Amino acid sequence: MSDAVTIRIAQSFSEIPAARWNMLSGAAKGKRGSAYNPFVSHAYLSALEESGSATAKTGWLGQHLLMESADGQLQGALVCYLKSHSQGEYVFDHGWADAFERAGGRYYPKLQGSIPFTPVTGPRLLTVTGQDGSPVQDGLAAGLKELTRRHDASSAHVTFVRESEMPVFERAGFLHRTDQQFHFLNEGYGSHSDFLETLASRKRKALKKERRTALENDITIDWLTGSDLTEAIWDQFFGFYMDTGGRKWGRPYLTRAFYSLIGERMADDIVLVMARRNGRYIAGAINFIGGDALYGRHWGCIEDHPFLHFEVCYHQAIDFAIAKGLKRVEAGAQGEHKLARGYMPVTTHSAHYISHPGLARAVSDYLVRERRDVEETAEFLAEHGPFRKGERQDD
């Protein structure tokens, strides 16, 4: 890295002009088929902060690495937080923390290079589009290690990393961890019926019945995007989120203000799938629209109906992706139940730098076994997918 390039730390996105940030790869919205990822946009990240969802008070203290040239031009960045807990990450290290602290160590604080509450793979080592970003990426990885030392933190974790970025982290001494999600891949289908024709007969019949059952009791589905996303709609969706999130997690992560901010700043990048019955909405799922993908995030409901969750979160997402020509649907973390609905196993990646040599050795040994288990599980699940032989999706 040139002496003319320096790294500084920003604690808040209010310190970073949106136009400068969005010059980085994947952050500036491009045409369909581009690398645009809504979760690394300034609009999304600043909304998390300004809404009080991801702040020092909630255990997410901004420590964003900004690589700048001598004239102050932003050359690269890594979204990062200093954390006092392991909540809202979806790559679980609670076992590592417990083991280290039982041995007399101090696991927190740690550094977390991720998008809060968002288990979506995307660019983590952001660089200027159209330039050779390799030196910048190497500098950011080295900078994260130095920041770990300065904070006397136990570790630094960069989660949901693109596989193409993993060699940068591994060269810098980070450990490689894998996990699994389930994604739908759009093979150029003209309709949902075209997709169903690729399934084994028994699976196809089961899904048709499931969709019919979900919409019984006079339930209808609306897609809401852009100007449809009024404050009244957000009030209703937030009610779903709080009801379901409160029962599932105990304390939902996102505030009501977050939805107002993203509705104001990126409404065209959002589609709410809302279920209506007896003249009112009873359930909904929020999805974000990327350059070539639909990202399902979370859902909620105030009435329980058989298979409605699958319809709102998975089947409707497939319908939308096919209608809009999107290449895939990423439906969030975990969930082998997605397999029968056309979502196939995909490997996710994360990078982990452990400061303590003994803990690093123990974690490294564990990750060798875990990576093998993830690979074997993915192979098994792929063999038992719903597709007819010879027509199974591959990522």
Side-chain angles (χ1 to χ4, degrees):
M1 185 171 57
S2 168
D3 292 339
V5 177
T6 59
I7 290 181
R8 71 175 178 92
I9 305 301
Q11 292 191 355
S12 169
F13 275 89
S14 64
E15 303 173 32
I16 311 169
R20 291 182 62 200
W21 179 267
N22 289 336
M23 291 293 291
L24 301 178
S25 60
K29 185 174 183 179
K31 297 179 180 179
R32 180 180 297 176
S34 76
Y36 174 62
N37 183 303
F39 304 111
V40 296
S41 69
H42 193 280
Y44 187 83
L45 292 162
S46 61
L48 285 170
E49 177 183 290
E50 292 175 34
S51 67
S53 301
T55 64
K57 185 176 180 180
T58 61
W60 296 80
L61 174 62
Q63 294 287 286
H64 312 302
L65 282 72
L66 307 179
M67 184 174 288
E68 298 175 327
S69 60
D71 60 358
Q73 295 300 308
L74 189 59
Q75 300 297 307
L78 191 157
V79 177
C80 186
Y81 300 86
L82 186 68
K83 296 201 63 195
S84 56
H85 56 72
S86 293
Q87 298 171 5
E89 298 168 3
Y90 302 93
V91 176
F92 303 110
D93 63 348
H94 301 89
W96 305 355
D98 292 344
F100 193 47
E101 293 185 359
R102 284 198 305 270
R106 182 175 61 91
Y107 195 74
Y108 303 103
K110 67 173 187 176
L111 287 165
Q112 187 73 26
S114 68
I115 311 302
F117 327 123
T118 308
V120 174
T121 294
R124 296 295 176 259
L125 300 168
L126 301 174
T127 60
V128 177
T129 303
Q131 296 184 9
D132 178 13
S134 299
V136 173
Q137 291 185 330
D138 287 333
L140 289 168
L144 182 56
K145 288 177 62 176
E146 173 61 17
L147 188 61
T148 307
R149 185 190 67 79
R150 291 186 182 184
H151 279 295
D152 193 24
S154 71
S155 50
H157 311 264
V158 189
T159 50
F160 299 100
V161 176
R162 285 179 173 170
E163 187 174 9
S164 61
E165 293 179 342
M166 278 306 306
V168 180
F169 288 109
E170 290 179 304
R171 286 196 300 270
F174 286 69
L175 303 176
H176 184 184
R177 189 176 194 183
T178 58
D179 202 348
Q180 184 176 266
Q181 289 185 346
F182 294 85
H183 298 173
F184 167 80
L185 302 181
N186 181 5
E187 305 286 4
Y189 303 121
S191 66
H192 194 274
S193 296
D194 290 345
F195 156 64
L196 288 177
E197 286 303 313
T198 68
L199 305 184
S201 175
R202 181 170 58 87
K203 298 292 187 180
R204 181 168 61 250
K205 291 177 181 177
L207 291 189
K208 286 181 176 180
K209 181 179 179 180
E210 178 174 286
R211 297 199 73 176
R212 288 195 303 269
T213 302
L215 299 181
E216 290 176 350
N217 301 316
D218 296 321
I219 294 174
T220 57
I221 302 294
D222 294 334
W223 293 346
L224 306 181
T225 189
S227 60
D228 301 328
L229 302 177
T230 64
E231 287 297 292
I233 290 296
W234 286 124
D235 283 340
Q236 293 175 73
F237 182 77
F238 187 67
F240 306 155
Y241 171 69
M242 290 297 290
D243 183 79
T244 301
R247 286 186 279 110
K248 184 175 181 181
W249 308 309
R251 183 181 64 83
Y253 299 125
L254 300 169
T255 66
R256 172 63 181 84
F258 169 76
Y259 295 98
S260 290
L261 289 171
I262 60 171
E264 173 187 327
R265 298 173 182 177
M266 50 193 310
D268 290 339
D269 295 340
I270 298 168
V271 59
L272 290 184
V273 176
M274 300 285 275
R276 183 195 298 269
R277 191 175 81 88
N278 292 337
R280 67 166 187 158
Y281 287 123
I282 60 168
I286 187 169
N287 302 265
F288 289 80
I289 308 167
D292 61 0
L294 184 70
Y295 302 98
R297 284 300 306 108
H298 49 266
W299 103 301
C301 66
I302 55 174
E303 289 185 12
D304 292 323
H305 294 273
F307 304 119
L308 186 59
H309 171 237
F310 300 143
E311 177 65 27
V312 170
C313 294
Y314 308 136
H315 299 310
Q316 289 289 326
I318 289 175
D319 287 347
F320 186 88
I322 291 172
K324 302 300 181 182
L326 299 172
K327 293 181 179 179
R328 66 187 185 279
V329 178
E330 299 190 18
Q334 289 102 32
E336 292 183 5
H337 59 277
K338 299 168 187 171
L339 186 70
R341 292 158 184 91
Y343 291 75
M344 297 299 286
V346 173
T347 300
T348 59
H349 304 268
S350 58
H352 306 267
Y353 172 69
I354 311 293
S355 299
H356 189 279
L359 180 61
R361 285 194 297 272
V363 169
S364 179
D365 291 343
Y366 167 75
L367 292 181
V368 170
R369 299 190 299 273
E370 187 183 54
R371 287 195 300 271
R372 183 169 59 246
D373 290 344
V374 169
E375 182 178 2
E376 291 174 354
T377 299
E379 291 174 355
F380 174 82
L381 291 173
E383 286 299 316
H384 292 80
F387 294 88
R388 296 200 301 261
K389 293 295 183 181
E391 297 185 60
R392 186 172 56 251
Q393 293 186 339
D394 296 308
D395 194 18

